Amino acid sequence: MKVLVVGSGGREHALLWKAAQSPLVERLYAAPGNAGMAALAELVPWSGDVEALADWALAEGVDLTLVGPEAPLVEGIADAFLERGLRIFGPTQKAAMIEGSKAFAKGLMERYGIPTARFRVFQDPLLALEYLEAVGVPIVIKDSGLAAGKGVTVALDLHTAKQAVLNLLSGPEGGEVVMEEYLEGEEATVLALTDGETILPLLPSQDHKRLLDGDQGPMTGGMGAVAPYPMDEATLKRVEEEILKPLLQGLRAEGVVYRGVVYAGLMLTREGPKVLEFNARFGDPEAQALLPLLENDLVELALKVAEGRLEGTRLSWKEGAAACVVLAAPGYPEAPRKGIPLHIPEPPEGVLVFHAGTRREGEGLVSAGGRVLNVVGLGKDLREALGKAYAFLPQVGFPGALYRRDIGRRALGLST
């Protein structure tokens, strides 16, 4: 089979690495890919035009496409491929609205009784500010559209809350914000494969969104992740029964069949799991921690999802744990520095390196994005996995590299 992976980050490198292990694969492509992915696949120059990529895939005879990032899904890449009779792993444009519009997602949750924070949606800044004065803080303010994981403000004071609202709503094109009650608890992620009928939850994981240790600093695309997160069976069952099933049933009731990965970002509150956000794809960096633990053939699973044949499939996992630590460029997330020379030695056993923002320049590698490299440690337990990842970091570090030193600390505290 000819398999195409769409995207250029650490998540896509992990997808490609896992796909390369499938005996079904004869040839791999990545569009546009990155320097690390070039060792596994033929890189396809791509500007982001989904129709053009679908035409290329048809001409090239691509058998299956795996989509990593959210932007092409929201732009309708699955629709473009399906119109040409091409198999694709990823939801249609309508289904991807669970991530493309937080207002749509919250309305869906309200309609189908999915537990989430109380919320209001605003487009008018004056009405939004009036509402703020009435409800007070703490409050969570979210950009309703795609924001690469960075469009969220957890406001503990009124000044921060008002500033966030004005930043999002006072532009010339206007905007839309979702304002939510502040939930307390532990954050976790449950991803699930689905063909629209069958749901296969993956191992629970935990992402670390803030830039700095102790969950301080600005929101980022994610600075690290661990899997499995210590979630008890009863809670995981509630996530499946109260969140994932109603979501898919609700979409179906509205004429939408969801095929791909559903990402449920959760707050584990005293009342039970509540949805912070839905995403329409693998998490980044959760995928980098989960895929190395997955024993199943990813390409085979993706085919079953794309063809609606997931029923009867069981997921199998390796013993142990995985921990991903992200190395970001100085200046990330606002203005990451590019062109920093990188030196990446061969990692030892139990350590993987996935490229994110890298490109080849002459004979060497340089940074080309905010999140540059992902170092993943694998171990018999989370403590060993973290130890391996952090032990290797100095060897791939670069001047001014930003990384968190406390990835997995909360999960470790819960599992010991």
Side-chain angles (χ1 to χ4, degrees), residues 102-103 106 119-121 140-142 144 177-180:
K102 291 182 180 67
K106 294 293 282 193
F119 73 100
R120 289 279 300 274
V121 178
V140 180
I141 295 151
K142 298 180 177 179
S144 182
V177 298
V178 175
M179 296 165 72
E180 295 183 350

Side-chain angles (χ1 to χ4, degrees), residues 186-376:
E186 193 70 22
E187 282 192 49
T189 304
V190 174
L191 292 139
L193 302 179
T194 180
D195 59 2
E197 294 283 346
T198 301
I199 300 167
L200 290 182
L202 308 186
L203 293 175
S205 55
Q206 187 174 54
D207 181 19
H208 298 64
K209 282 278 185 217
R210 298 275 192 169
L211 181 69
L212 305 173
D213 289 1
D215 294 318
Q216 300 297 307
M219 286 287 191
T220 71
M223 293 300 291
V226 295
Y229 174 81
M231 185 181 290
D232 61 80
E233 281 298 319
T235 302
L236 190 55
K237 194 71 187 163
R238 285 187 70 177
V239 171
E240 190 174 349
E241 295 296 327
E242 298 173 19
I243 292 169
L244 297 172
K245 281 186 181 174
L247 172 70
L248 295 176
Q249 287 163 358
L251 284 167
R252 262 204 316 278
E254 301 192 8
V256 179
V257 176
Y258 191 109
R259 287 183 174 172
V261 182
V262 173
Y263 172 121
L266 308 168
M267 185 68 83
L268 306 179
T269 72
R270 285 180 185 170
E271 295 91 48
K274 293 187 179 184
V275 177
L276 292 172
E277 63 176 348
F278 282 126
N279 292 329
R281 37 70 192 182
F282 277 106
D284 183 352
E286 291 98 332
Q288 293 89 300
L290 286 165
L291 290 170
L293 297 175
L294 180 66
E295 286 195 326
N296 302 66
D297 182 329
L298 178 65
V299 173
E300 192 181 334
L301 286 173
L303 271 175
K304 287 181 175 182
V305 167
E307 295 174 349
R309 299 186 291 107
L310 208 50
E311 191 178 0
T313 304
R314 291 178 66 86
L315 295 183
S316 179
W317 299 94
K318 291 172 184 162
E319 289 289 319
C324 172
V325 182
V326 172
L327 282 164
Y332 179 73
E334 287 86 10
R337 205 176 120 215
K338 297 178 182 178
I340 302 166
L342 305 172
H343 173 65
I344 304 166
E346 191 65 31
E349 191 166 335
V351 176
L352 298 164
V353 176
F354 294 124
H355 290 230
T358 68
R359 64 180 168 83
R360 192 157 286 287
E361 193 172 89
E363 293 299 301
L365 291 174
V366 297
S367 68
R371 293 183 292 174
V372 180
L373 296 168
N374 304 159
V375 176
V376 179

Side-chain angles (χ1 to χ4, degrees), residues 1-5 15-28 63-66 87 89 193 291 294-307 309:
M1 288 179 64
K2 291 181 174 182
V3 176
L4 165 67
V5 172
L15 286 166
L16 196 69
W17 169 84
K18 184 66 177 165
Q21 296 163 29
S22 171
L24 299 171
V25 172
E26 175 199 336
R27 196 162 178 189
L28 280 169
D63 299 291
L64 177 68
T65 298
L66 309 176
R87 289 179 292 202
F89 176 81
L193 302 179
L291 290 170
L294 180 66
E295 286 195 326
N296 302 66
D297 182 329
L298 178 65
V299 173
E300 192 181 334
L301 286 173
L303 271 175
K304 287 181 175 182
V305 167
E307 295 174 349
R309 299 186 291 107

